[in-house]
Amino acid sequence: MDANCLKRYTDSGVIILCPSSIYIDEGIKIGSGTTLQPFSVLTGNTTIGCNCIIGSFSFLKNATIMDGAEIRSSRITDSNVGQNTTIGPNAHLRENSSVGDNCRVGNFVELKNSSLGEGSKASHLAYLGDATVGKNCNIGCGVIFVNYDGRVKHRTIVGDNSFIGSNCNLIAPLNIEGDCYIACGTTVTKNVSKDDFVIGRMRETVKPNTAKKYLRGEI
Protein backbone atom coordinates (compact mmCIF):
# COMPACT_ATOMS: atom_id res chain seq x y z
CA MET A 1 0.00 0.00 0.00
CA ASP A 2 1.49 3.37 -1.00
CA ALA A 3 1.80 6.28 1.40
CA ASN A 4 -0.99 8.35 -0.19
CA CYS A 5 -3.47 5.48 0.02
CA LEU A 6 -2.49 4.77 3.60
CA LYS A 7 -2.89 8.40 4.61
CA ARG A 8 -6.29 8.64 2.95
CA TYR A 9 -7.62 5.72 4.99
CA THR A 10 -5.99 6.62 8.29
CA ASP A 11 -7.17 10.23 8.00
CA SER A 12 -10.74 8.90 7.73
CA GLY A 13 -10.36 6.85 10.94
CA VAL A 14 -9.36 3.45 9.56
CA ILE A 15 -6.86 1.55 11.71
CA ILE A 16 -4.32 -0.32 9.59
CA LEU A 17 -1.91 -2.69 11.29
CA CYS A 18 1.28 -3.45 9.35
CA PRO A 19 0.34 -1.57 6.14
CA SER A 20 3.12 -3.21 4.13
CA SER A 21 1.41 -6.61 4.45
CA ILE A 22 -2.05 -5.46 3.31
CA TYR A 23 -3.37 -5.28 -0.26
CA ILE A 24 -6.23 -2.88 -1.13
CA ASP A 25 -7.55 -2.27 -4.63
CA GLU A 26 -8.29 1.27 -5.72
CA GLY A 27 -11.78 2.49 -4.85
CA ILE A 28 -12.34 0.23 -1.82
CA LYS A 29 -14.59 1.99 0.69
CA ILE A 30 -13.82 1.51 4.39
CA GLY A 31 -15.72 3.14 7.26
CA SER A 32 -14.31 4.93 10.27
CA GLY A 33 -13.18 2.81 13.22
CA THR A 34 -12.58 -0.30 11.14
CA THR A 35 -9.37 -2.25 11.81
CA LEU A 36 -7.43 -4.05 9.08
CA GLN A 37 -5.16 -6.70 10.51
CA PRO A 38 -1.98 -7.93 8.78
CA PHE A 39 -2.15 -9.92 5.52
CA SER A 40 -5.74 -9.01 4.65
CA VAL A 41 -6.65 -8.59 0.96
CA LEU A 42 -9.49 -6.34 -0.27
CA THR A 43 -10.30 -6.44 -3.98
CA GLY A 44 -12.96 -5.62 -6.55
CA ASN A 45 -16.06 -3.69 -5.58
CA THR A 46 -15.72 -4.21 -1.82
CA THR A 47 -17.33 -1.93 0.77
CA ILE A 48 -16.69 -2.18 4.50
CA GLY A 49 -18.74 -0.31 7.11
CA CYS A 50 -17.72 1.37 10.34
CA ASN A 51 -16.19 -0.32 13.40
CA CYS A 52 -15.50 -3.61 11.65
CA ILE A 53 -12.56 -5.96 12.14
CA ILE A 54 -11.02 -7.54 9.06
CA GLY A 55 -8.82 -10.25 10.51
CA SER A 56 -5.45 -11.45 9.34
CA PHE A 57 -5.42 -13.60 6.17
CA SER A 58 -8.97 -12.60 5.17
CA PHE A 59 -9.72 -12.27 1.44
CA LEU A 60 -12.64 -10.10 0.32
CA LYS A 61 -13.71 -9.68 -3.31
CA ASN A 62 -16.87 -7.78 -4.29
CA ALA A 63 -17.99 -8.07 -0.67
CA THR A 64 -20.27 -5.78 1.33
CA ILE A 65 -19.54 -5.82 5.06
CA MET A 66 -21.91 -3.86 7.29
CA ASP A 67 -21.12 -1.94 10.49
CA GLY A 68 -19.69 -3.83 13.44
CA ALA A 69 -19.00 -7.08 11.59
CA GLU A 70 -15.90 -9.16 12.24
CA ILE A 71 -14.24 -11.27 9.55
CA ARG A 72 -11.79 -13.78 11.01
CA SER A 73 -9.34 -15.29 8.51
CA SER A 74 -12.07 -16.03 5.97
CA ARG A 75 -12.79 -15.78 2.25
CA ILE A 76 -15.82 -13.78 1.02
CA THR A 77 -16.62 -13.39 -2.67
CA ASP A 78 -19.63 -11.64 -4.25
CA SER A 79 -21.49 -11.81 -0.93
CA ASN A 80 -22.92 -9.64 1.87
CA VAL A 81 -22.43 -9.69 5.64
CA GLY A 82 -24.83 -7.92 8.03
CA GLN A 83 -24.28 -5.74 11.06
CA ASN A 84 -22.58 -7.17 14.15
CA THR A 85 -22.10 -10.53 12.47
CA THR A 86 -19.05 -12.72 12.97
CA ILE A 87 -17.57 -14.76 10.13
CA GLY A 88 -14.86 -17.38 10.67
CA PRO A 89 -12.21 -18.30 11.30
CA ASN A 90 -11.75 -20.19 8.03
CA ALA A 91 -15.27 -19.71 6.68
CA HIS A 92 -16.04 -19.39 2.97
CA LEU A 93 -18.87 -17.28 1.55
CA ARG A 94 -19.13 -17.96 -2.16
CA GLU A 95 -21.06 -16.18 -4.88
CA ASN A 96 -24.48 -14.69 -4.14
CA SER A 97 -24.53 -15.42 -0.41
CA SER A 98 -26.01 -13.14 2.22
CA VAL A 99 -25.66 -13.32 6.00
CA GLY A 100 -28.01 -11.16 8.08
CA ASP A 101 -27.48 -9.05 11.18
CA ASN A 102 -26.26 -10.59 14.46
CA CYS A 103 -25.38 -13.92 12.86
CA ARG A 104 -22.55 -16.35 13.43
CA VAL A 105 -20.84 -18.27 10.64
CA GLY A 106 -18.06 -20.28 12.23
CA ASN A 107 -14.99 -22.25 11.33
CA PHE A 108 -15.05 -24.34 8.15
CA VAL A 109 -18.60 -23.33 7.19
CA GLU A 110 -19.26 -22.76 3.50
CA LEU A 111 -22.18 -20.88 1.94
CA LYS A 112 -22.94 -20.88 -1.79
CA ASN A 113 -25.89 -19.00 -3.30
CA SER A 114 -27.47 -19.02 0.15
CA SER A 115 -28.92 -16.66 2.74
CA LEU A 116 -28.85 -16.83 6.53
CA GLY A 117 -31.51 -14.79 8.34
CA GLU A 118 -31.06 -12.39 11.22
CA GLY A 119 -29.80 -14.01 14.43
CA SER A 120 -29.12 -17.40 12.84
CA LYS A 121 -26.01 -19.47 13.48
CA ALA A 122 -23.97 -22.05 11.61
CA SER A 123 -21.06 -22.35 13.98
CA HIS A 124 -18.88 -25.08 12.49
CA LEU A 125 -18.27 -27.62 9.75
CA ALA A 126 -21.42 -27.16 7.66
CA TYR A 127 -22.27 -26.66 3.98
CA LEU A 128 -25.19 -24.45 2.94
CA GLY A 129 -25.63 -24.73 -0.81
CA ASP A 130 -28.61 -23.12 -2.56
CA ALA A 131 -30.33 -22.58 0.77
CA THR A 132 -32.65 -19.98 2.27
CA VAL A 133 -32.49 -20.09 6.07
CA GLY A 134 -34.82 -17.90 8.14
CA LYS A 135 -34.30 -15.92 11.31
CA ASN A 136 -33.06 -17.31 14.64
CA CYS A 137 -32.17 -20.74 13.28
CA ASN A 138 -29.43 -23.07 14.46
CA ILE A 139 -27.51 -25.10 11.88
CA GLY A 140 -25.58 -27.80 13.75
CA CYS A 141 -22.10 -29.15 13.22
CA GLY A 142 -21.75 -31.31 10.12
CA VAL A 143 -25.07 -30.32 8.51
CA ILE A 144 -25.11 -30.68 4.72
CA PHE A 145 -27.64 -28.99 2.45
CA VAL A 146 -27.55 -31.59 -0.33
CA ASN A 147 -28.32 -29.43 -3.35
CA TYR A 148 -27.13 -31.52 -6.30
CA ASP A 149 -28.80 -34.65 -7.65
CA GLY A 150 -26.06 -35.39 -10.18
CA ARG A 151 -27.68 -33.32 -12.95
CA VAL A 152 -29.46 -30.27 -11.45
CA LYS A 153 -29.02 -28.01 -8.42
CA HIS A 154 -32.07 -27.72 -6.14
CA ARG A 155 -32.98 -25.35 -3.30
CA THR A 156 -33.78 -25.91 0.39
CA ILE A 157 -35.87 -23.49 2.47
CA VAL A 158 -35.73 -23.49 6.28
CA GLY A 159 -38.28 -21.35 8.14
CA ASP A 160 -37.71 -19.09 11.13
CA ASN A 161 -36.83 -20.44 14.60
CA SER A 162 -35.89 -23.90 13.38
CA PHE A 163 -33.22 -26.18 14.84
CA ILE A 164 -31.20 -28.44 12.56
CA GLY A 165 -29.21 -30.92 14.66
CA SER A 166 -25.66 -32.06 14.03
CA ASN A 167 -24.86 -34.35 11.08
CA CYS A 168 -28.19 -33.91 9.30
CA ASN A 169 -28.57 -34.20 5.53
CA LEU A 170 -31.24 -32.02 3.93
CA ILE A 171 -31.98 -33.45 0.47
CA ALA A 172 -33.20 -30.73 -1.89
CA PRO A 173 -35.68 -29.73 -3.16
CA LEU A 174 -36.99 -29.34 0.38
CA ASN A 175 -39.18 -26.98 2.39
CA ILE A 176 -38.84 -27.05 6.18
CA GLU A 177 -41.37 -24.67 7.69
CA GLY A 178 -40.80 -22.55 10.80
CA ASP A 179 -40.41 -23.74 14.41
CA CYS A 180 -39.22 -27.21 13.39
CA TYR A 181 -36.74 -29.45 15.20
CA ILE A 182 -34.66 -31.87 13.13
CA ALA A 183 -32.89 -34.35 15.42
CA CYS A 184 -29.19 -34.97 14.90
CA GLY A 185 -28.22 -37.64 12.40
CA THR A 186 -31.45 -37.33 10.40
CA THR A 187 -31.66 -37.41 6.61
CA VAL A 188 -34.66 -35.34 5.51
CA THR A 189 -36.16 -36.11 2.10
CA LYS A 190 -39.74 -34.82 2.48
CA ASN A 191 -41.17 -31.40 3.25
CA VAL A 192 -41.65 -30.66 6.95
CA SER A 193 -44.65 -28.77 8.37
CA LYS A 194 -44.56 -26.05 10.99
CA ASP A 195 -43.79 -27.21 14.56
CA ASP A 196 -42.83 -30.74 13.46
CA PHE A 197 -40.19 -32.84 15.24
CA VAL A 198 -38.29 -35.04 12.79
CA ILE A 199 -36.02 -37.95 13.66
CA GLY A 200 -34.77 -40.49 11.13
CA ARG A 201 -31.96 -42.61 12.49
CA MET A 202 -31.71 -46.30 13.41
CA ARG A 203 -31.02 -47.38 16.97
CA GLU A 204 -27.52 -48.71 17.46
CA THR A 205 -26.78 -52.44 17.50
CA VAL A 206 -24.36 -53.71 20.14
CA LYS A 207 -22.55 -57.04 19.72
CA PRO A 208 -20.79 -57.87 23.00
CA ASN A 209 -17.24 -59.18 22.99
CA THR A 210 -16.74 -59.00 19.22
CA ALA A 211 -14.60 -55.86 18.79
CA LYS A 212 -11.34 -57.81 18.78
CA LYS A 213 -12.47 -59.83 15.75
CA TYR A 214 -13.12 -56.64 13.78
CA LEU A 215 -9.84 -55.11 14.88
CA ARG A 216 -7.92 -58.24 13.82
CA GLY A 217 -9.73 -58.42 10.50
CA GLU A 218 -11.28 -61.81 11.27
CA ILE A 219 -14.74 -60.66 10.16
Side-chain angles (χ1 to χ4, degrees):
M1 182 188 307
D2 64 43
N4 290 333
C5 180
L6 174 62
K7 187 175 188 303
R8 184 169 67 251
Y9 285 119
T10 56
D11 285 351
S12 66
V14 179
I15 302 165
I16 300 179
L17 308 179
C18 192
S20 63
S21 72
I22 292 174
Y23 177 83
I24 304 179
D25 269 350
E26 290 186 14
I28 301 292
K29 298 177 182 178
I30 307 174
S32 176
T34 286
T35 298
L36 304 182
Q37 295 181 352
F39 303 104
S40 52
V41 175
L42 312 178
T43 68
N45 186 26
T46 289
T47 300
I48 301 171
C50 298
N51 302 312
C52 297
I53 298 175
I54 308 301
S56 295
F57 302 102
S58 291
F59 176 90
L60 278 61
K61 180 180 180 182
N62 302 329
T64 300
I65 312 298
M66 302 301 290
D67 296 349
E70 181 175 358
I71 312 301
R72 302 172 178 170
S73 306
S74 294
R75 188 177 184 94
I76 301 175
T77 304
D78 300 307
S79 296
N80 304 321
V81 175
Q83 297 183 34
N84 304 313
T85 284
T86 301
I87 305 293
N90 302 311
H92 189 186
L93 273 59
R94 293 167 54 195
E95 64 275 11
N96 195 33
S97 290
S98 178
V99 180
D101 298 342
N102 303 302
C103 289
R104 170 88 175 99
V105 175
N107 50 306
F108 304 105
V109 174
E110 180 180 355
L111 276 72
K112 191 277 294 185
N113 191 28
S114 295
S115 63
L116 197 64
E118 179 180 355
S120 290
K121 298 178 181 179
S123 293
H124 26 240
L125 299 166
Y127 174 64
L128 285 72
D130 299 290
T132 301
V133 178
K135 299 178 181 179
N136 301 314
C137 292
N138 183 85
I139 308 299
C141 178
V143 170
I144 304 297
F145 285 69
V146 185
N147 57 334
Y148 186 50
D149 65 5
R151 293 181 297 117
V152 181
K153 299 288 180 68
H154 300 281
R155 196 158 194 86
T156 293
I157 299 173
V158 178
D160 297 345
N161 308 308
S162 290
F163 181 94
I164 312 297
S166 295
N167 293 322
C168 287
N169 296 302
L170 309 181
I171 312 297
L174 191 64
N175 184 18
I176 298 173
E177 296 185 10
D179 302 299
C180 289
Y181 191 111
I182 312 299
C184 64
T186 297
T187 295
V188 184
T189 60
K190 298 179 180 178
N191 291 340
V192 179
S193 299
K194 185 178 176 65
D195 197 33
D196 279 355
F197 175 90
V198 181
I199 183 169
R201 60 178 185 260
M202 295 178 62
R203 294 188 180 276
E204 64 271 20
T205 298
V206 179
K207 299 179 180 180
N209 304 314
T210 57
K212 291 181 179 179
K213 293 181 180 180
Y214 285 93
L215 293 171
R216 294 171 181 167
E218 297 174 4
I219 296 178

